[in-house]
Amino acid sequence: MLKEQVLSALEQQKGNIVTGGRLADSLGVSRTAIWKAVRQLRQDGNEICSLQGSGYVLARTNDTLSALEIGDCLTTGFIGRSMALLPTVHSTNRYLKEAGTESMPDGYVVIADGQTDGRGRKGRVFLSPKSGGIYLSILLKPEKAQSDVRLLTICAAVAVSKAIENVCGVTAGIKWVNDIYCGGKKICGILTEAVLSGELQELSTAIVGIGINTGGVPQELGGIATSVLESAGLQGVRNRLAAEVLNRFEAEYLSYLEAKDNRDMLGYYESRLFIRNTHVRVSAAGADYSATVLGIDETGALIVRDSEGVVRHVTAGEIDIQLI
Ligand code: BTN
């Protein structure tokens, strides 16, 4: 599509003037066609200035999601190679579930600019303001029968932490099991959902949903959440960061599928587990106790020592940890 090609050409010269004539020549269209494409791009929310008689400039701060730009930054073999980019959707996880995943390829990704009904663990609402984050879901069809939702969440947490550190240059800590924190506040949540099939109810399809705050954080979350932008003082990183999350996720996922053990992945996870050696309150089905976090085991369960000195392995889905 012409407008995507114009955006890509302007992206390559972000902050600099590109003349209408040069764009027209390089894309083999008229200057009027370029002007119309720029008008559409502006309607999509891109910040493009036209300088009378000299050309167009894409603002350095421009942060519109673009499938083309994400594609340019992808180094994956299959994750994100088929992708849908939506202006707004109820929830990217729900979109995949309702779309009938059988016909979609392994590694299919849906990314939205905003969600009206974003969901977190335990059915909680995940606020997803338009243009305020990266909301994406990855469809996986693992052959590994023992694939496990908790370890897929750990793959995603490691991938997001590495991607944020690489693109934004800030340390991204992990709070077991599915939250990423920067500067003491939540920056990202992960929701992995399994589709089980067959007599043994094996995991045949999984959906890994990742929500990263990149823009202004809704006022009601100001105290507990932050954004990549606020933490790193960065703008215009959404496409690069989205692609890097997918790149890193594929690397973690492939080594998870191939590995006999997941020592590297779990080792990285533990190195970013900022609740390690701290006192926490564990609320598990029916139980509620104080404990010290020791680390995670090979299944991704959290290892804690309670006040009686008993070492316990806490599994996902049944606990709620509060820092005390
Ligand atoms: C949590 O904080 O408990 C997890 C939040 C997960 C949010 C992401 S955004 C993309 C995907 N779509 C959803 O509805 N949820 C996940």
Side-chain angles (χ1 to χ4, degrees):
M1 214 163 151
L2 181 63
K3 73 171 184 180
E4 288 280 17
Q5 291 172 304
V6 171
L7 185 59
S8 170
L10 292 174
E11 277 287 352
Q12 281 160 25
Q13 293 294 322
K14 213 170 185 180
N16 299 317
I17 301 173
V18 185
T19 66
R22 208 174 107 201
L23 283 171
D25 289 347
S26 64
L27 297 173
V29 296
S30 68
R31 289 177 67 153
T32 311
I34 297 293
W35 176 77
K36 283 186 183 158
V38 168
R39 198 176 53 182
Q40 283 173 9
L41 287 168
R42 284 208 188 103
Q43 281 163 4
D44 293 347
N46 291 287
E47 295 175 63
I48 303 174
C49 300
S50 358
L51 304 170
Q52 210 69 54
S54 32
Y56 304 101
V57 181
L58 181 68
R60 279 193 200 285
T61 51
N62 190 66
D63 207 14
T64 306
L65 283 178
S66 146
L68 207 74
E69 215 196 315
I70 295 172
D72 281 350
C73 302
L74 273 185
T75 56
T76 57
F78 70 106
I79 299 281
R81 290 295 162 185
S82 294
M83 181 190 297
L85 198 153
L86 310 171
T88 307
V89 69
H90 35 56
S91 145
T92 53
N93 273 28
R94 193 172 133 200
Y95 174 90
L96 284 182
K97 279 185 270 174
E98 289 176 357
T101 51
E102 305 81 42
S103 58
M104 290 173 174
D106 190 14
Y108 186 86
V109 169
V110 55
I111 304 189
D113 190 38
Q115 296 183 123
T116 53
D117 191 22
R119 290 282 144 188
R121 282 178 70 227
K122 300 181 183 165
R124 288 188 198 113
V125 169
F126 184 80
L127 290 177
S128 316
K130 200 159 165 52
S131 306
I134 299 166
Y135 316 110
L136 67 85
S137 298
I138 309 169
L139 177 69
L140 299 171
K141 300 186 172 182
E143 276 169 18
K144 190 174 176 179
Q146 69 273 31
S147 288
D148 172 290
V149 166
R150 186 164 55 240
L151 287 171
L152 290 177
T153 298
I154 284 178
C155 278
V158 167
V160 172
S161 168
K162 287 183 174 177
I164 289 176
E165 294 192 9
N166 185 32
V167 173
C168 308
V170 291
T171 303
I174 300 173
K175 177 174 169 237
W176 189 84
V177 59
N178 67 326
D179 290 334
I180 309 294
Y181 274 59
C182 287
K185 290 185 184 177
K186 179 165 169 174
I187 202 160
C188 165
I190 296 161
L191 176 65
T192 306
E193 297 183 87
V195 181
L196 304 174
S197 64
E199 268 177 44
L200 296 174
Q201 285 290 284
E202 284 176 345
L203 185 151
S204 61
T205 303
I207 295 169
V208 177
I210 299 173
I212 305 174
N213 299 322
T214 57
V217 171
Q219 230 173 7
E220 55 269 46
L221 290 182
I224 52 170
T226 187
S227 78
V228 173
L229 228 166
E230 276 171 45
S231 297
L234 282 179
Q235 285 182 316
V237 295
R238 275 204 301 169
N239 292 309
R240 220 150 37 92
L241 184 56
E244 188 63 0
V245 167
L246 299 178
N247 293 339
R248 299 285 181 161
F249 181 79
E250 181 172 288
E252 297 304 326
Y253 178 61
L254 287 178
S255 51
Y256 159 67
L257 290 182
E258 283 156 18
K260 288 193 191 64
D261 62 59
N262 298 297
R263 208 172 296 165
D264 287 350
M265 179 174 83
L266 296 171
Y268 182 92
Y269 189 95
E270 271 197 338
S271 74
R272 295 297 185 274
L273 188 68
F274 64 89
I275 56 171
R276 203 169 177 202
N277 298 324
T278 63
H279 297 290
V280 294
R281 187 126 205 109
V282 181
S283 309
D288 188 16
Y289 55 93
S290 298
T292 304
V293 175
L294 303 179
I296 53 169
D297 68 17
E298 67 287 354
T299 71
L302 191 72
I303 312 171
V304 299
R305 184 186 295 112
D306 70 17
S307 48
E308 320 258 275
V310 178
V311 173
R312 306 190 191 202
H313 292 235
V314 186
T315 53
E318 55 179 25
I319 68 115
D320 189 19
I321 296 177
Q322 289 160 352
L323 296 176
I324 52 172

